[in-house]
Amino acid sequence: MSPLLLLAARSAWNRRLTLGMTLIAVALSVTLLLGVERVRHEARNSFAQSVAGTDLVVGARTSPVQLMLYAVFRLGEATHNIRWQSYRAIAENPAVAWSIPLSLGDSHHGFPVIGTSSAYFEHFRYGDAQALAFSAGKPFAEIFDAVLGAEVAARLGYRPGNRIVLSHGMGDVSLAEHTDKPFTVVGILAPTGTPVDRSVHISLEAMQAIHLDWQGGAPLPGLSIPAEYVRKFDLTPQEITAVLVGLKSRAAVFKVQRDLNTRSAEPLLAVLPGVALDQLWQVVGIAERTLLAVSAMVVAVGLAGLVAVVLAGLGERRRELAILRSVGARPSEIFVLLTAEGLFVTVLGALLGAALLALLTALLGPLAQAHYGLAIRARWISSDELALLGAVVAVGLVASLLPGYRAYRISLADGLTPRL
Amino acid sequence: MTSETVIEIENLRFRWSRGGEFCLEIPAFEVRAGERIFLYGPSGSGKSTLLGLLGGVLVPELGRIRLLGSELTRLKPSARDRFRADHVGFVFQQFNLIPYLSVVDNVLLSCRFSARRRARAMAAGGSLHDEAARLLAHLDLEEALHRQGVTRLSVGQQQRVAAARALIGRPEIVIADEPTSALDAERQAAFLALLAGECRAAGSTLLFVSHDRRLAVGFDRELSLASISPACGEGRAA
Ligand SMILES: Nc1ncnc2c1ncn2[C@@H]1O[C@H](COP(=O)(O)OP(=O)(O)O)[C@@H](O)[C@H]1O
Ligand SMILES: [Mg+2]
């Protein structure tokens, strides 16, 4: 058996240029397939990790998926806010154990700014119900204090004591800035692998204060309230964006949800994060499956190319097959020889594809994190990915049986003297 | 010893397609151990077909083929392949070599498929490589060529490498199917002499087939295919 495989390897090496091209095609298609699977997996993972222990997410009436996107994942913008009174009513509801108000809309170098209360540091949970921890400093206390997520601090090189200026609105370029009211970094959170890492946290009062002399998207002309005077104003917010709610008893969740959805003073939407996430997966699932199917198709194209190349080479190898027969090779060994050649390229392509993916995640992972908040870490191959690789090799084996079988038929028909 | 029968054919009939004409009809044919036989006939007369039958790659419709006392026609296909690997060496007309193997690896190909010939080659030369090198040297292929790829060799050199492959491990039977027809006249004679000499040294029986009767020099027996297969091809017309 092993001299046969050695022969297959030598023969493949002899035709390394053509087989090399198909090897590249197979490897790239495998990289695509594994890449789609990895992004899919990591996206689900990081989304699922983003919120834990929260029973309800409440915002202005919109779609549950939309609400989750901005309230939990801090992606996109809320079209409507909820009134402060509505928030107070939720907070004072006897069934509610704790509530975290969230006010969104500003940013700092593209990172979202979250106006919230100290309840955030106390009650927010992520992953397996882990609490937030500080890697440096402490929660905000003074009005212009800010607490940074781990990634914000790491990427912008901030430490407690640094002064930062927030921008009005979301986005990267040419925003109006709140230059007159700079913030002081007082705390930096430990990494969580969730959108918290990408957030700048300030108090709701500060959020109100920086917008005192603003209307709509711009500063009011002729009006400027210096930072030291803001305390003279009532800094109670008029509106916030969303609320994360923890209940005293989980059993009450559907009742509270129903009450919020139907009996509030303004149209509100309360969703169970798990249910909303499922809806999100249903939306995303179609795209995921389509992508996966397309990349599987690309792998099929790569393997078809491989089979075509091996088959095309058979014609000029009839002499070679006859020689092998003359020294005693059985037709079944000819079959194995040609099948092994295709399988060989498939296995090599699968390994190369996996290696390429590792390289790409190492190189592009930080970019995906920065631009999409997707934590795609370079890590050892997962069992799902291994199963995909196994499937590729299995399909490659089945496909390679075709040239194997052709060679088998040829060697039976030709015997020792091929007639050309 | 010399009277031992190596090839024995009885009442053989072979045709390529059912219902077609018989390509070969051989009432009786025998070759004794150590003999060197020259078999000639025009092209298309069925010489290569006969060699395919002797190699166990083709099976007759009727009759028996016995090689070294084993009845080839009774063996299963895989056992026939095994028998060929162990006991028969082949040299063909042209393109006898695997293009992606070195000279030595082409010679050793016979040993890859037969444990018996591997063992005999090792016993003769000490190691497989030494035995291959020894044979190649006997066939006038200098050391420098041994590690080379075969595609750079001349046709004459290629045929000598093929001869070494047929001879290594001293198979009882060496079958040559027009091995010289791609060579020019001088080289034909030289190749023949080398092949015959090595067969004698290895104690192998040589069955040499050609359409060109002029080559039949120095053989123990010279016969036409028509004489052993009277009903066959051109032989029938003659
Ligand atoms: N694989 C084959 N299938 C069908 N007919 C064949 C095959 N090989 C040879 N023949 C036929 O058998 C006859 C003998 O051919 P062959 O044995 O090659 O003759 P030679 O070797 O004497 O030139 C020819 O008529 C040829 O057409
Ligand atoms: Mg012939």
Side-chain angles (χ1 to χ4, degrees):
Chain A
M1 207 60 175
S2 86
L4 216 55
L5 293 186
L6 197 71
L7 267 183
R10 294 270 202 103
S11 150
W13 178 246
N14 183 48
R15 296 175 319 120
R16 56 191 172 276
L17 192 65
T18 39
L19 285 180
M21 294 318 279
T22 59
L23 173 68
I24 290 172
V26 171
L28 286 179
S29 70
V30 166
T31 306
L32 179 66
L33 182 71
L34 291 186
V36 166
E37 167 63 18
R38 171 136 339 163
V39 169
R40 189 181 82 92
H41 181 84
E42 296 289 343
R44 287 199 169 213
N45 214 21
S46 72
F47 274 37
Q49 295 275 307
S50 293
V51 61
T54 295
D55 294 312
L56 287 169
V57 179
V58 187
R61 190 154 294 170
T62 173
S63 77
V65 169
Q66 186 92 25
L67 177 59
M68 288 297 284
L69 283 180
Y70 66 72
V72 176
F73 305 120
R74 290 151 202 189
L75 295 170
E77 280 176 75
T79 44
H80 294 285
N81 284 339
I82 61 178
R83 290 203 293 272
W84 180 248
Q85 288 84 345
S86 300
Y87 167 63
R88 291 309 316 159
I90 295 167
E92 283 152 21
N93 184 322
V96 170
W98 51 263
S99 61
I100 300 171
L102 299 172
S103 187
L104 297 130
D106 280 1
S107 62
H108 178 67
H109 290 281
F111 294 111
V113 172
I114 316 291
T116 185
S117 70
S118 56
Y120 188 91
F121 305 109
E122 202 181 321
H123 296 297
F124 186 87
R125 297 287 182 273
Y126 68 95
D128 312 319
Q130 287 142 280
L132 294 177
F134 278 82
S135 64
K138 52 180 178 28
F140 43 69
E142 294 296 316
I143 179 112
F144 290 121
D145 283 356
V147 170
L148 307 183
E151 196 197 328
V152 181
R155 284 235 295 149
L156 301 176
Y158 291 148
R159 312 228 238 113
N162 285 146
R163 307 268 277 175
I164 63 173
V165 170
L166 306 185
S167 310
H168 189 76
M170 302 288 291
D172 266 328
V173 274
S174 72
L175 295 165
E177 301 215 308
H178 298 287
T179 29
D180 57 333
K181 302 187 182 67
F183 282 71
T184 307
V185 177
V186 295
I188 291 166
L189 295 169
T192 63
T194 74
V196 170
D197 294 353
R198 308 177 26 78
S199 303
V200 175
H201 306 87
I202 62 175
S203 68
L204 285 173
E205 290 75 24
M207 186 65 105
Q208 182 69 12
I210 56 177
H211 294 105
L212 274 179
D213 42 10
W214 286 56
Q215 188 148 60
L220 284 171
L223 179 65
S224 172
I225 299 164
E228 50 273 31
Y229 294 132
V230 296
R231 283 218 178 270
K232 300 193 187 309
F233 293 82
D234 175 14
L235 293 179
T236 309
Q238 278 136 30
E239 295 187 318
I240 61 169
T241 313
V243 191
L244 305 183
V245 176
L247 299 179
K248 288 178 183 145
S249 152
R250 288 225 64 189
V253 69
F254 292 110
K255 181 183 177 325
V256 176
Q257 183 191 26
R258 192 164 355 97
D259 288 350
L260 287 173
N261 282 339
T262 57
R263 295 217 204 129
S264 301
E266 63 177 323
L268 292 184
L269 174 72
V271 299
L272 281 75
V275 175
L277 266 182
D278 281 347
Q279 287 186 10
L280 183 59
W281 296 145
Q282 277 171 23
V283 176
V284 175
I286 299 166
E288 278 179 357
R289 279 194 297 276
T290 310
L291 266 179
L292 218 52
V294 168
S295 37
M297 218 89 91
V298 174
V299 173
V301 170
L303 291 178
L306 167 62
V307 170
V309 162
V310 179
L311 273 180
L314 268 186
E316 50 197 70
R317 295 176 68 186
R318 289 174 69 172
R319 267 298 335 156
E320 180 188 328
L321 300 185
I323 294 164
L324 291 174
R325 286 284 281 144
S326 78
V327 295
R330 299 175 197 163
S332 62
E333 287 173 315
I334 301 288
F335 181 93
V336 170
L337 184 73
L338 269 289
T339 304
E341 199 165 309
L343 185 62
F344 194 64
V345 174
T346 311
V347 170
L348 217 61
L351 294 180
L352 213 62
L356 197 60
L357 178 72
L359 190 72
L360 283 179
T361 46
L363 291 179
L364 302 182
L367 270 167
Q369 171 94 52
H371 287 280
Y372 308 107
L374 251 185
I376 300 183
R377 286 149 294 150
R379 59 161 167 77
W380 192 233
I381 201 154
S382 75
S383 58
D384 280 353
E385 289 164 3
L386 214 56
L388 275 181
L389 275 185
V392 169
V393 171
V395 173
L397 171 61
V398 171
S400 302
L401 293 178
L402 185 63
Y405 180 71
R406 272 289 293 159
Y408 173 86
R409 301 293 315 174
I410 287 176
S411 67
L412 272 186
D414 282 353
L416 303 178
T417 42
R419 309 200 313 155
L420 304 172
Chain B
M1 265 304 268
T2 46
S3 61
E4 195 186 320
T5 311
V6 169
I7 300 173
E8 199 180 348
I9 293 178
E10 263 176 60
N11 294 324
L12 176 141
R13 279 170 168 235
F14 176 85
R15 56 185 164 185
W16 279 103
S17 57
R18 290 216 160 268
E21 283 177 42
F22 282 101
C23 168
L24 288 173
E25 293 190 52
I26 305 179
F29 176 57
E30 274 189 21
V31 177
R32 285 184 303 282
E35 265 193 304
R36 280 167 298 157
I37 307 281
F38 185 90
L39 184 68
Y40 64 90
S43 58
S45 59
K47 303 182 298 294
S48 296
T49 306
L50 174 61
L51 302 187
L53 285 159
L54 291 174
V57 170
L58 303 173
V59 272
E61 192 171 318
L62 283 171
R64 288 198 298 191
I65 300 173
R66 200 176 291 140
L67 296 187
L68 306 165
S70 297
E71 202 164 324
L72 205 58
T73 32
R74 287 245 186 108
L75 297 178
K76 286 191 295 181
S78 61
R80 291 200 302 270
D81 291 335
R82 175 82 192 284
F83 190 93
R84 176 173 70 253
D86 284 346
H87 302 289
V88 188
F90 278 96
V91 187
F92 298 103
Q93 182 173 355
Q94 218 184 337
F95 309 119
N96 261 307
L97 305 176
I98 305 276
Y100 50 83
L101 296 180
S102 71
V103 167
V104 164
D105 284 332
N106 261 287
V107 173
L108 292 179
L109 204 58
S110 304
C111 299
R112 304 269 179 244
F113 288 90
S114 165
R116 180 174 191 267
R117 285 176 70 176
R118 186 161 56 238
R120 286 164 70 111
M122 282 220 272
S127 82
L128 286 179
H129 274 80
D130 288 348
E131 176 63 0
R134 187 188 68 78
L135 269 171
L136 287 168
H138 271 224
L139 289 161
D140 288 344
L141 286 160
E142 67 244 41
E143 190 86 39
L145 297 173
H146 297 186
R147 299 264 153 219
Q148 263 193 21
V150 291
T151 42
R152 275 188 284 167
L153 300 183
S154 71
V155 180
Q157 288 171 326
Q158 287 184 18
Q159 289 305 78
R160 279 177 274 154
V161 174
R165 186 180 64 212
L167 288 160
I168 195 163
R170 291 186 292 114
E172 288 82 348
I173 303 167
V174 171
I175 291 178
D177 189 356
E178 318 225 22
T180 58
S181 42
L183 305 180
D184 50 56
E186 293 157 57
R187 279 169 221 253
Q188 281 181 338
F191 178 82
L192 250 171
L194 274 176
L195 182 63
E198 285 308 308
C199 282
R200 187 194 299 272
S204 306
T205 304
L206 173 64
L207 180 57
F208 189 104
V209 156
S210 176
H211 67 277
D212 186 358
R213 241 188 120 167
R214 287 170 303 172
L215 293 172
V217 191
F219 285 87
D220 297 329
R221 258 204 292 167
E222 174 194 340
L223 34 95
S224 74
L225 184 61
S227 70
I228 62 165
S229 178
C232 171
E234 319 277 305
R236 183 169 26 203

